[in-house]
């Protein structure tokens, strides 16, 4: 039986134009897109194609020049594209999480406090929040010894794991991630991708921008952006493990997914 996926948000006729001195640059051009609950959506495309701009618009980090972004939350419709800065900040606090390429942790606070400060914007029950923060940190293998540390005392991989926890501490409807492994070595990349996959398996909806096939394979829906418009997209089905790992019980599916993604990207001229 075909079950229609539940929409989290819809962007309609989205445009973003930057004006630099006398030149206008049309970065997003009448783009239409819906994001669905439970999906791990991946956005790919060449450098400068507008991926970050799209992510910032969808997440309410920035406003589009034209068009609408409607969230379907709390059984109601919320149109955020016209919100002022204060309303957008409140909306983000309540509904979205964000992970950047650079972790942007506050260096003057411990890892735990970095997570807590974000959680306290929304939650008043400090005790319950502390437990949730510690549980989440421990799920990404940041133990008590580590979460007392300041970001500068942690490895890049540990810092980014803390940043992911901060992104999900308020149980966002959707977690946005802009090249979250772009600054990590291969071991840490694998580690952070595993964390994102686990979160998605537990139901967390994710929208991630990436430049690598390795990261994109984690998604089930791959969207290709070219010059500010969506060229095409494919449905890959859920991540089935590493296609190179001979002990992977889903090896055949993984290999097929990998090939399908490669073919798609080749068609897109990637
Ligand atoms: N705040 C801004 N002011 C002016 N131009 C901008 C601004 N932000 C982005 N742009 C321009 O918009 C275009 C798209 O930028 P964007 O950052 O969305 O690309 P991207 O696809 O994320 O690229 P990359 O893969 O390199 O991160 C670029 O030409 C960029 O210079
Ligand atoms: Mg970018």
């Amino acid at each position: 039986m075909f079950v229609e996926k539940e929409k989290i948000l819809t962007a309609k006729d989205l445009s973003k134009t930057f004006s630099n001195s006398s030149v206008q640059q049309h970065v997003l051009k009448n783009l239409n897109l819906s994001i669905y609950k439970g999906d791990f959506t991946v956005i790919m495309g060449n450098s400068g194609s507008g991926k970050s701009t799209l992510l910032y618009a969808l997440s309410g980090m920035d406003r589009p020049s034209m068009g609408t972004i409607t969230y379907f939350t709390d059984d109601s419709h919320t149109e955020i594209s016209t919100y002022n800065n204060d309303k957008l900040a409140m909306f983000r606090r309540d509904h979205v999480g964000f992970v950047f390429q650079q972790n942007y942790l506050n260096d003057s606070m411990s890892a735990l406090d970095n997570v807590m400060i974000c959680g306290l914007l929304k939650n008043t029950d400090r005790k319950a929040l502390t437990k949730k923060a510690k549980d989440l940190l421990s799920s990404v293998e940041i133990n008590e010894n580590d979460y007392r540390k300041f970001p500068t005392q942690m490895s890049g991989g540990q810092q980014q794991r803390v940043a992911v926890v901060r992104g999900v501490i308020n149980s966002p409807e959707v977690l946005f991630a802009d090249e979250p492994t772009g600054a990590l070595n291969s071991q840490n990349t694998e580690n952070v991708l595993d964390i994102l996959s686990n979160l998605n398996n537990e139901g967390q909806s994710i929208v991630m921008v990436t430049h690598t096939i390795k990261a994109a394979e984690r998604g089930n829906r791959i969207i290709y952006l070219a010059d500010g418009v969506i060229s095409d997209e494919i449905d890959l089905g859920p991540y089935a493990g590493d296609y190179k790992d001979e002990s992977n019980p889903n090896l055949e599916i993984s290999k097929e997914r990998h090939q399908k993604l490669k073919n798609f990207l080749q068609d897109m001229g990637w």
Side-chain angles (χ1 to χ4, degrees), residues 10-142:
T10 291
K12 199 165 178 307
D13 297 329
L14 205 62
S15 295
K16 181 75 181 180
T17 301
F18 291 111
S19 303
N20 302 312
S21 56
S22 58
V23 184
Q24 284 207 327
Q25 189 184 358
H26 303 291
V27 176
L28 300 177
K29 302 167 185 167
N30 284 306
L31 186 148
N32 291 289
L33 171 68
S34 289
I35 299 297
Y36 299 92
K37 202 173 171 143
D39 272 359
F40 192 148
T41 305
V42 168
I43 300 171
M44 296 188 84
N46 289 335
S47 179
S49 56
K51 302 180 298 296
S52 296
T53 306
L54 175 61
L55 216 62
Y56 295 156
L58 295 179
S59 60
M61 300 277 280
D62 197 6
R63 263 183 299 273
S65 307
M66 301 258 267
T68 57
I69 297 163
T70 308
Y71 273 76
F72 304 95
T73 55
D74 309 325
D75 296 324
S76 65
H77 296 191
T78 315
E79 218 275 83
I80 66 162
S81 22
T82 54
Y83 277 13
N84 64 24
N85 287 348
D86 287 351
K87 278 186 89 172
L88 264 184
M90 298 240 291
F91 182 83
R92 287 196 304 268
R93 177 197 71 184
D94 291 337
H95 300 287
V96 308
F98 218 107
V99 183
F100 302 89
Q101 182 169 350
Q102 308 300 335
N103 58 69
Y104 293 133
L105 295 175
N106 186 327
D107 284 339
S108 61
M109 283 184 225
S110 71
L112 178 61
D113 284 346
N114 264 281
V115 175
M116 288 293 292
I117 198 94
C118 192
L120 285 168
L121 293 173
K122 189 176 175 184
N123 303 275
T124 48
D125 184 346
R126 182 182 273 266
K127 203 170 157 203
L129 181 69
T130 307
K131 180 171 185 321
K132 184 177 179 187
K134 288 179 179 176
D135 286 350
L136 279 169
L137 284 163
S138 113
S139 76
V140 301
E141 283 162 34
I142 305 283

Side-chain angles (χ1 to χ4, degrees), residues 188-260:
N188 284 325
T189 291
E190 206 61 39
N191 205 250
V192 166
L193 291 175
D194 282 346
I195 289 162
L196 293 175
S197 287
N198 287 341
L199 285 167
N200 182 243
N201 284 338
E202 288 160 13
Q204 177 67 57
S205 310
I206 299 175
V207 180
M208 175 178 76
V209 166
T210 183
H211 272 290
T212 70
I213 292 188
K214 201 174 187 42
E217 273 172 347
R218 301 298 179 130
N220 62 289
R221 178 189 184 201
I222 318 295
I223 293 170
Y224 197 87
L225 199 66
D227 206 12
V229 294
I230 293 172
S231 292
D232 203 356
E233 64 169 89
I234 52 161
D235 177 1
L236 273 188
Y239 180 61
D242 186 348
Y243 76 100
K244 282 195 226 150
D245 176 5
E246 293 296 328
S247 68
N248 175 4
N250 304 312
L251 194 59
E252 281 315 308
I253 300 172
S254 293
K255 283 181 179 169
E256 275 170 36
R257 286 178 89 256
H258 179 75
Q259 197 54 48
K260 189 173 175 184

